Amino acid sequence: MSTRDRIVAAAARVMREKGIARSTTREIARAAGCSEGLLYKHFASKEDLFLVVLAEELPSLITLLADLPARAGQGSVLATLEEIAATALAFYAETVPIAGSILADPALLASHARAVRAQGAGPDIPNVALANYLRAEQRSGRVRADVDPAAAAVMLFGACLQRVFLRLFDAAARDPAGDMRFAADLARAVWLGLAPDPA
């Protein structure tokens, strides 16, 4: 395993245990078996490292969203929505506990948001990607022309976030089978508002 990959894997472990707010680059470097200086040769900041963890160590929502433009006009919109919902649930189940700690500190949150935005990332990216996919499907006639794709994206991702939050709030165990059923039901509910009139 390369030094970079060791650092990313260590960052994922430390951030899962402590959250991003309480994880330090020194601690991550120690967990990776390298110096903090070597960590900074590979990553410009803790936020930079966090974004790499999101992309490489957690469920593949980022990869799926990047593939959405090529999916427009292909396959079933409902099946795509179901896959997005299932992947989002797994992704948020990992990321909400990691990132949640920064919400309690407005200065830290503002600093983190600036750093993440500077790299073209942020929590709204999934909504934008899904809305753009749905707009492309509207243009091909596979989604109703009179619905707002941005609202549909908020409905889908918002429901996924709420399910994860409620599970964390009640300290409930993860339920992969239940999540798959929820993803299918959620996708179907969103699709019912998007499906073109058969007539």
Side-chain angles (χ1 to χ4, degrees):
M1 181 182 287
S2 70
T3 299
R4 178 196 177 280
D5 291 346
R6 279 201 336 270
I7 293 169
V8 172
R13 285 194 309 275
V14 171
M15 288 177 181
R16 280 183 175 115
E17 290 170 10
K18 297 191 156 202
I20 191 171
R22 294 190 302 128
S23 300
T24 65
T25 52
R26 179 178 297 167
E27 186 174 17
I28 292 167
R30 187 180 320 116
C34 70
S35 70
E36 195 172 7
L38 185 56
L39 181 150
Y40 279 111
K41 285 186 178 178
H42 292 275
F43 302 98
S45 65
K46 183 169 72 172
E47 288 78 17
D48 180 35
L49 184 51
F50 174 60
L51 293 175
V52 172
V53 167
L54 292 183
E56 297 181 11
E57 291 290 315
L58 301 181
S60 58
L61 180 62
I62 293 168
T63 302
L64 175 57
L65 296 175
D67 290 343
L68 283 182
R71 291 185 178 213
Q74 307 296 317
S76 158
V77 177
L78 174 58
T80 297
L81 292 172
E82 186 174 337
E83 183 182 357
I84 292 168
T87 306
L89 283 168
F91 182 79
Y92 290 143
E94 293 277 347
T95 58
V96 168
I98 290 171
S101 58
I102 64 172
L103 299 176
D105 185 332
L108 179 60
L109 177 58
S111 172
H112 176 77
R114 280 192 302 273
V116 167
R117 289 287 184 214
Q119 298 190 40
D124 58 326
I125 297 298
N127 293 32
V128 172
L130 178 52
N132 287 340
Y133 163 75
L134 293 174
R135 284 188 193 97
E137 294 290 18
Q138 275 181 323
R139 289 191 293 274
S140 68
R142 294 179 1 126
V143 163
R144 290 173 53 148
D146 62 342
V147 297
D148 180 359
V154 169
M155 289 171 60
L156 187 138
F157 288 117
C160 291
L161 272 169
Q162 185 193 42
R163 181 174 173 87
V164 168
F165 170 77
L166 292 174
R167 184 165 55 216
L168 291 169
F169 185 81
D170 287 330
R174 290 185 65 177
D175 178 11
D179 283 348
M180 293 305 290
R181 287 191 302 275
F182 177 82
D185 290 342
L186 174 59
R188 192 174 308 108
V190 172
W191 173 241
L192 286 174
L194 296 171
D197 186 339

